[in-house]
Amino acid sequence: MSDKIIKKEELQDFLKALKKAHEVFVPAKEKDFYRFNPLTDENKGDLNFTNTRLSPKSLLFPQSERIFEYTLDEESSDAHIVKESSKDYPSTVIIGIRPCDAKAMRLVDVNFNNPEFKDPWWVKHLESMTFIGLGCNEPCSTCFCTSVGCGPFNEEGLDVLLFDLGENFLARALTPKGEELLKQGGVDKDANSGLKKKADELKIEAENKISSHVPTDKLKEKKVDDLFNAPFWDDIAFACINCGTCTFLCPTCWCFDVQDEITKKQGDRIRNWDSCMFPLFTLHASGHNPRPEKVQRVRQRFMHKLKYYVDKYNNGVACVGCGRCVKSCPVNIDIREVFSLMNDL
Amino acid sequence: MIEYGEKIREIAKKILEEKKVGLIIGFKKGTIPMMTEPVLIKDGQNLDQLYWDSFCNMNLANYLPKREEKIGIIAKGCDSRNIAVHIVENQIKREQLYIIGVPCKGMVDRRKINYFLADKEAREVTESDEDIIVKGEGFEHTLKKGDYLQDNCTKCMHRNPVIYDDIVGDLVEEREEPDPYDDVKDIEEMGSEEKWGFFSNLIKDCTRCYACRNACPLCYCPTCFVDESDPQWVGKSIDSTDTVTFHILRAYHCAGRCTDCGACQQACPMDINVRLLTRKLNKDALDLYNHEAGLSIEERPPLDTYKPDDYDEFIR
Ligand code: SF4
Ligand code: SF4
Ligand code: SF4
Ligand code: SF4
Ligand code: SF4
């Protein structure tokens, strides 16, 4: 672990140097909100942001991704043979990812990359990425990362963590990949002990600024059945319009659907984001739907994040406290309240 | 508008006590500034949750279809029109409802305020008759409500509820807008290439989450065409053909039924103004059939009406 200094006016040089060897994504404001866009001559990025509207998961787990293809052309010798789509996995650097989102990528990795199953596309995307995170000097009132094993300067999942110290960034390399990248970008000036101290203070200050807290301590010991049959689900679900916004924006939601799409004789097998909020998600071929009502779908979302995941992986909750669902749910269903209801049942 | 809250609670208490209704559908205060949550109140205990301010922007008519109970429901002008549409379309019976009308002064658009704040966070938002007071870390702004209304509210011609059983305040003056459809006319004037470019750009960020559809009271089909799976009608990937298909079909299904309540636009997580599609159809319904949706509980929407003496020969 080493601490280097990047002067703010030299940030663009650093990014340019990285661009020579990697694809670089930076937060950029388009319309009224931020998203991760490729660094170009026009798009220099903007680190004065709170967070992106959509989480960066789409960079590793695109909303629609072709995974296999085939031809229906009977003349062709490989008619009907399903083949993996060839794909490039260029080395990619994500600049400015927030610590919650970086942790979320680790959390999704638990599902897509474990001794039992390896999702080859996820694994290759993740391996091709380097994450240069930006700590949060000013957490939002909807951020509750410190309650769920994360924090505004959490290091998990990051290769480099940037501390915004005003005139300079302190760049803390956390992995050999991160060290290498800083070297490549021409960042070699060591931070003096004064700046290191300032960075550590910034971290504590930011943690103390987190104003939103949720209880999680009793989730594990609760009985699944008790939570499943709890009296509060109807109330929580009443307002929900089952729109899926919460799941599409969430960095930890990983569910997908696989669909074949055929254009003339070319067949594509595409993996698409899906959502437990949609009735179609559980519709069986027989026509039976085990989750026919919205209350069951709402319960599933929260039970998955706050109970099933907790029990299955013994790794905390499947939520990093980014607050996206809290901010964007059109009817203000607030997961922080559900944390309390479930934990304190 | 904040003062309506007390009157709403008073009426709700009365009709629950008199057993005129078994439940109330209204709004409760949100957990974050500029948000409210639709709420269902079953008994007197939770009555004090009922709340009103300039951010009660979802359309409560959305929560009515297929309910069997007797319901007290809070309704702004647009909600009341969507309730009327539901009644005409047999989604709910007039006798089941006790409509608590809210003369509406327009809903304030939290996105416009957030845009003004340019990524600074509003920590506390309060309102007076004319103003919205927004406080955050190191700033305080007093903004004129009129400058931050939802787009649809700036063009709304029916702010007073069209049907109601009780009303929470004096009726407001309806505006005399010279032309509520000037924005649609601008688009109508574009060439077809330009139009295609305009709409393609409008929906380019669409994630097909269908929040716009689900926020809309008109979309009550048991299975939406985009969810048909046997056979599948619309692809599930974000291929632009499928996204365009969804948007055009959704809009057409609302033709002659849409009240321009704005719930669809407000629900979209990607800030897409899908109303630009429905508004053209509203304008057509007005121009061609002299019809505005939900102004009466007798008149059926023009596109599901058949008249043997129709002036068009091809349909007779
Ligand atoms: S964003 Fe809100 S309304 Fe939409 S599905 Fe999620 S909880 Fe329900
Ligand atoms: S559940 Fe909500 S707060 Fe938690 S990670 Fe997902 S979007 Fe963020
Ligand atoms: S559309 Fe009209 S009635 Fe509806 S919220 Fe806006 S101003 Fe009020
Ligand atoms: S289409 Fe939009 S504006 Fe029209 S009724 Fe539905 S939600 Fe309201
Ligand atoms: S709510 Fe917005 S993002 Fe979702 S389907 Fe509608 S237009 Fe697309």
Side-chain angles (χ1 to χ4, degrees), chain A residues 279-280 283 287 289, chain B residues 66 213-214 219-233 236 253:
Chain A
L280 206 56
L283 183 66
N289 194 339
Chain B
K66 309 285 175 303
R213 172 197 68 183
N214 290 14
C219 288
Y220 53 69
C221 294
T223 307
C224 175
F225 69 94
V226 292
D227 292 334
E228 288 289 354
S229 55
D230 189 20
Q232 193 173 56
W233 294 12
K236 304 284 278 177
H253 286 183

Side-chain angles (χ1 to χ4, degrees), chain B residues 1 52 56-59 75-81 102-108 149-161 174-175 259-262:
Chain B
M1 294 233 264
W52 194 265
C56 294
N57 58 5
M58 284 291 111
N59 190 327
K76 312 181 281 284
C78 51
D79 307 47
S80 79
R81 291 171 64 199
V102 173
C104 180
K105 295 172 192 163
M107 289 290 125
V108 174
L149 291 183
Q150 290 179 189
D151 290 345
N152 60 310
C153 298
T154 64
K155 308 210 176 275
C156 172
M157 308 291 274
H158 303 281
R159 309 200 294 170
N160 291 304
E174 295 293 0
R175 63 180 87 228
T259 63
D260 207 30
C261 71

Side-chain angles (χ1 to χ4, degrees), chain B residues 39-199:
Chain B
V39 63
L40 180 144
I41 307 270
K42 282 219 178 93
D43 48 49
Q45 285 165 17
N46 297 326
L47 266 177
D48 52 356
Q49 286 187 356
L50 286 171
Y51 175 77
W52 194 265
D53 68 12
S54 294
F55 299 94
C56 294
N57 58 5
M58 284 291 111
N59 190 327
L60 295 183
N62 199 20
Y63 297 95
L64 287 179
K66 309 285 175 303
R67 290 207 87 100
E68 306 284 336
E69 311 94 327
K70 290 203 117 189
I71 303 164
I73 183 164
I74 325 290
K76 312 181 281 284
C78 51
D79 307 47
S80 79
R81 291 171 64 199
N82 279 100
I83 293 172
V85 172
H86 277 333
I87 294 169
V88 172
E89 296 180 359
N90 299 319
Q91 294 306 305
I92 198 90
K93 294 195 193 69
R94 178 67 183 94
E95 311 79 78
Q96 270 177 277
L97 300 177
Y98 190 97
I99 302 168
I100 305 173
V102 173
C104 180
K105 295 172 192 163
M107 289 290 125
V108 174
D109 191 336
R110 68 175 188 282
R111 291 174 213 263
K112 288 189 182 171
I113 293 194
N114 284 333
Y115 184 60
F116 166 79
L117 295 177
D119 229 42
K120 293 255 176 331
E121 196 190 18
R123 293 276 165 115
E124 194 194 319
V125 176
T126 49
E127 64 181 273
S128 63
D129 231 20
E130 298 289 328
D131 297 327
I132 294 280
I133 301 108
V134 185
K135 288 186 198 155
E137 281 288 308
F139 65 84
E140 176 172 339
H141 301 289
T142 302
L143 307 172
K144 285 262 157 288
K145 273 186 195 168
D147 297 338
Y148 292 87
L149 291 183
Q150 290 179 189
D151 290 345
N152 60 310
C153 298
T154 64
K155 308 210 176 275
C156 172
M157 308 291 274
H158 303 281
R159 309 200 294 170
N160 291 304
V162 295
I163 39 168
Y164 54 86
D165 299 293
D166 207 337
I167 191 113
V168 301
D170 297 335
L171 294 183
V172 292
E173 226 174 284
E174 295 293 0
R175 63 180 87 228
E176 307 264 333
E177 195 90 9
D179 185 359
Y181 286 115
D182 48 355
D183 55 337
V184 179
K185 285 180 188 151
D186 288 345
I187 302 172
E188 284 173 340
E189 271 160 26
M190 293 177 188
S192 49
E193 287 281 308
E194 197 187 343
K195 258 183 215 156
W196 185 253
F198 176 83
F199 284 111

Side-chain angles (χ1 to χ4, degrees), chain A residues 290-343:
Chain A
R291 286 186 212 133
E293 304 294 335
K294 78 172 168 189
V295 59
Q296 295 144 346
R297 301 192 279 272
V298 169
R299 173 171 61 194
Q300 164 61 26
R301 169 167 168 248
F302 293 120
M303 285 294 279
H304 177 219
K305 288 195 180 307
L306 309 187
K307 182 60 183 166
Y308 305 145
Y309 180 90
V310 174
D311 288 356
K312 182 164 180 193
Y313 293 111
N314 202 16
N315 182 34
V317 292
C319 164
V320 293
C322 72
R324 282 190 182 83
C325 59
V326 179
K327 278 188 184 160
S328 286
C329 171
V331 296
N332 190 224
I333 291 175
D334 189 330
I335 192 170
R336 297 172 299 174
E337 300 203 314
V338 183
F339 265 99
S340 300
L341 286 167
M342 286 177 70
N343 192 71

